[in-house]
């Protein structure tokens, strides 16, 4: 590929007597433009086929394009999505909106949760990921991906409800139950446990239960962390109580190992 600039020279009578041409090789530029066009075409193809809602917006908030998934999510045709703009899909009452816009303006990107509004006026929780980029024409645009979090939030609410029911059951059992971390902290103690030993207040189990400064030499609770199996033992504590102990290996929600103990 070559680019030429031509210049004509004329005599006093206005007749063309000479043409000078200056040329330069623009192969690399054409290849770069072709690659950019191909990349943009691939991007548009991916956006069109994406299962996530994708919006293309201008710096002033105008919606320039919306893929089919976005139209399904918001219950609006693309022309309507373009007409209402970004402000029409985000709940303006969401207190997180201002900081989200501020962060994107400062960093050129944002990812977080916001509340969105469908065409019928119903609201739903969603995750928004946006990034500012420069188009082939040199215009600053924003690509925004929106995911509906309704199902995930409902699942989380069900899990929390189940967890609360479990805690309620543990609180009413007439046996002492606690969760111990590998560094001897009491992560949870039910009402029966607290009635005997009081509140943990961040103390390690040997400090909390027996006022000691080091782990108890008679304790077998942490054997389960090495064996991975249930362990049953009996001990007479310093205050004269005879305790039947049942220890189970337990995995916390974040994957960390713990000991679930039931004392009778």
């Amino acid at each position: 590929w070559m680019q030429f600039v031509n210049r004509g020279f004329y005599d006093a009578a206005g007749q063309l007597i000479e043409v000078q041409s200056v040329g330069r090789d623009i192969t690399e530029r054409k290849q770069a433009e072709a690659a950019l066009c191909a990349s943009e075409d691939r991007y548009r193809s991916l956006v069109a086929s994406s299962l996530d809602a994708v919006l293309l917006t201008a710096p002033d908030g105008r919606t320039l394009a919306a893929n089919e998934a976005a139209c399904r999510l918001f219950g609006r045709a693309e022309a309507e999505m373009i007409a209402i703009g970004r402000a029409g899909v985000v709940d303006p009452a969401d207190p997180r909106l201002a900081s989200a816009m501020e962060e994107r303006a400062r960093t050129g990107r944002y990812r977080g949760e916001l509340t969105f509004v469908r065409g019928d006026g119903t609201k739903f929780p969603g995750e928004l990921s946006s990034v500012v980029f420069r188009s082939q024409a040199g215009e600053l645009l924003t690509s925004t991906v929106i995911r509906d979090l309704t199902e995930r939030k409902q699942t989380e609410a069900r899990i929390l409800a189940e967890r609360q029911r479990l805690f309620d059951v543990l609180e009413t059992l007439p046996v002492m139950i606690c969760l111990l971390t590998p560094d001897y902290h009491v992560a949870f103690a039910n009402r029966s446990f607290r009635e005997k030993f009081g509140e943990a207040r961040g103390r390690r189990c040997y400090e909390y239960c027996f006022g000691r400064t080091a782990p108890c030499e008679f304790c077998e609770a942490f054997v389960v962390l090495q064996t991975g199996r249930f362990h049953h033992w009996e001990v007479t504590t310093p205050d004269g109580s005879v305790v039947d102990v049942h220890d189970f290996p337990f995995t916390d929600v974040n994957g960390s190992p713990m000991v679930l103990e039931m004392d009778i």
Side-chain angles (χ1 to χ4, degrees):
W1 289 88
M2 295 290 293
Q3 182 182 58
F4 291 94
V5 177
N6 299 323
R7 182 181 180 186
F9 293 88
Y10 300 86
D11 59 17
Q15 296 295 316
L16 178 66
I17 58 175
E18 182 180 348
V19 176
Q20 290 184 353
S21 294
V22 177
R24 63 173 179 171
D25 185 350
I26 60 170
T27 302
E28 288 187 5
R29 194 188 80 186
K30 287 294 185 180
Q31 290 173 339
E33 289 175 353
L36 185 59
C37 287
S39 297
E40 198 160 303
D41 289 342
R42 283 195 295 271
Y43 169 75
R44 291 183 182 278
S45 177
L46 287 171
V47 166
S49 60
S50 174
L51 297 178
D52 292 323
V54 182
L55 302 178
L56 187 66
T57 58
D60 60 3
R62 289 179 297 113
T63 298
L64 305 176
N67 70 347
E68 185 178 344
C71 295
R72 288 198 305 270
L73 177 60
F74 289 98
R76 300 178 184 271
E78 184 180 24
E80 189 179 2
M81 295 288 291
I82 293 173
I84 63 174
R86 182 179 61 209
V89 300
V90 181
D91 181 6
D94 192 324
R96 299 167 293 185
L97 181 59
S99 60
M101 296 300 100
E102 180 183 343
E103 180 176 336
R104 197 186 66 184
R106 186 179 71 256
T107 65
R109 61 183 64 241
Y110 173 77
R111 182 173 183 176
E113 295 183 11
L114 291 171
T115 304
F116 298 89
V117 184
R118 292 189 175 90
D120 60 4
T122 58
K123 298 179 180 180
F124 67 94
E127 181 184 62
L128 180 146
S129 300
S130 65
V131 60
V132 178
F133 69 99
R134 193 172 294 278
S135 70
Q136 181 183 349
E139 182 182 8
L140 282 176
L141 301 174
T142 301
S143 176
T144 300
V145 178
I146 300 169
R147 292 179 178 174
D148 187 352
L149 297 182
T150 302
E151 186 174 342
R152 195 185 84 181
K153 292 294 185 181
Q154 290 173 343
T155 301
E156 290 174 351
R158 286 195 295 269
I159 291 173
L160 288 174
E162 288 294 329
R163 185 177 182 182
Q164 185 59 52
R165 277 194 289 269
L166 173 61
F167 281 134
D168 291 343
V169 170
L170 295 180
E171 281 287 275
T172 58
L173 288 176
V175 294
M176 294 180 288
I177 296 177
C178 65
L179 275 174
L180 304 173
T181 65
D183 62 353
Y184 301 98
H185 281 96
V186 181
F188 168 79
N190 75 340
R191 183 172 60 190
S192 293
F193 201 101
R194 298 192 307 273
E195 286 176 350
K196 181 172 180 61
F197 297 107
E199 297 293 338
R201 297 189 179 90
R203 293 172 292 173
R204 288 177 169 83
C205 56
Y206 52 83
E207 300 170 318
Y208 169 29
C209 298
F210 306 117
R212 299 170 67 110
T213 58
C216 306
E217 67 280 354
F218 56 80
C219 181
E220 300 178 21
F222 295 91
V223 170
V224 300
L225 295 181
Q226 280 73 51
T227 65
R229 297 193 301 270
F230 161 73
H231 182 59
H232 176 218
W233 54 292
E234 187 177 291
V235 64
T236 300
T237 63
D239 68 353
S241 300
V242 179
V243 182
D244 190 36
V245 185
H246 302 257
D247 288 312
F248 304 83
F250 185 85
T251 302
D252 201 4
V253 290
N254 62 3
S256 59
M258 303 182 78
V259 178
L260 172 62
E261 181 170 292
M262 181 177 70
D263 301 326
I264 302 172

